[in-house]
Amino acid sequence: MTRRPLPRILILLMLALALGLVGCNKEDKLDTRTAEELYTSAKAKLDGGNWNAAVREYRMLQTRYPFGRYAEQAQLEMAYAFYKASQPEQALATADRFIRMYPTHPNIDYAYYIRGLTNYDERVGFLEKMFPSRIRDRDQSSALEAFQDFDQLCARFPDSRYCPDARQRMVYLRNNLSYYEIDVADYYMRRKAYVAAAN
């Protein structure tokens, strides 16, 4: 007895059904947590030092509940999580977005502080922490940005609890910026470029 080949359409239907069954997972459940439950879970991960998991939870919260106090606070804490996870670009972008979206938020000073810390740590990298004398040889643009962020924080929010730390960091940054200028002037003096050294 000879077998007739199955029609192509039947084969394609069986293949689609098999792929559909493989794609179904009994463990996939609809997450029905409220905004408060998502925020509490993300905050617990943040407090536990699990930065990437905290970012995922905060993003889920903002996606599912884009308005309200939990979404606002989630964005602010997400900037901190990015900062702690050594993702400076995302930390700066998130802090900037928070400053633009919520300019009258009671914790807006913290967003400026996170900006300053991110730029500050961007400048004081791993090698510079090991060799502090080499800090003044580096590009000073991040240091200047950090100084400006801290200065803006203290100018706009002089009573902020973050100002004392920001002022201490500003002193450190100003001293290193001045050392950098002296090193540049010394370099030009050795090259007998006196006008550049005077500038």
Side-chain angles (χ1 to χ4, degrees):
M1 185 183 237
T2 61
R3 297 174 105 190
R4 293 181 65 200
L6 291 173
R8 284 187 184 177
I9 190 107
L10 186 60
I11 293 173
L12 290 175
L13 283 173
M14 288 179 11
L15 184 61
L17 180 64
L19 287 175
L21 290 175
V22 169
C24 291
N25 186 351
K26 291 182 181 178
E27 309 238 345
D28 289 344
K29 294 181 182 174
L30 185 61
D31 191 351
T32 59
R33 291 182 287 177
T34 65
E36 184 177 3
E37 291 169 337
L38 277 170
Y39 176 77
T40 303
S41 172
K43 181 74 170 150
K45 287 177 174 57
L46 185 72
D47 292 342
N50 193 348
W51 318 121
N52 293 324
V55 166
R56 278 193 302 275
E57 295 273 326
Y58 284 132
R59 280 187 172 153
M60 186 184 307
L61 169 63
Q62 288 183 320
T63 301
R64 295 174 75 204
Y65 305 99
F67 306 107
R69 65 186 179 103
Y70 291 114
E72 293 174 11
Q73 193 63 28
Q75 189 166 358
L76 189 59
E77 291 176 10
M78 193 163 58
Y80 175 73
F82 279 131
Y83 161 69
K84 292 300 280 183
S86 299
Q87 297 179 29
E89 294 84 13
Q90 288 89 343
L92 290 171
T94 306
D96 285 341
R97 189 168 47 250
F98 182 85
I99 290 167
R100 273 192 323 273
M101 290 177 67
Y102 310 108
T104 59
H105 193 277
N107 297 329
I108 191 79
D109 58 334
Y110 186 64
Y112 284 102
Y113 183 65
I114 288 294
R115 271 196 59 76
L117 282 180
T118 303
N119 281 319
Y120 180 85
D121 282 357
E122 182 81 1
R123 185 193 162 305
V124 183
F126 173 73
L127 288 176
E128 291 155 318
K129 286 179 182 173
M130 291 181 63
F131 305 105
S133 63
R134 304 296 296 170
I135 289 175
R136 58 184 89 144
D137 295 353
R138 306 289 178 193
D139 176 30
Q140 299 296 312
S141 59
S142 290
L144 191 55
E145 285 178 32
F147 185 88
Q148 291 168 346
D149 290 333
F150 289 137
D151 186 45
Q152 190 172 15
L153 165 67
C154 292
R156 291 187 66 187
F157 310 100
D159 297 330
S160 170
R161 64 181 178 159
Y162 305 110
C163 270
D165 182 63
R167 285 190 184 103
Q168 288 295 320
R169 291 175 190 265
M170 286 170 68
V171 169
Y172 174 80
L173 290 167
R174 184 173 39 211
N175 287 341
N176 278 299
L177 286 167
S178 63
Y179 285 134
Y180 173 76
E181 292 297 325
I182 290 170
D183 284 349
V184 169
D186 185 47
Y187 170 82
Y188 284 128
M189 287 294 287
R190 288 194 311 268
R191 301 288 182 279
K192 297 186 191 240
Y194 301 115
V195 173
N199 288 334

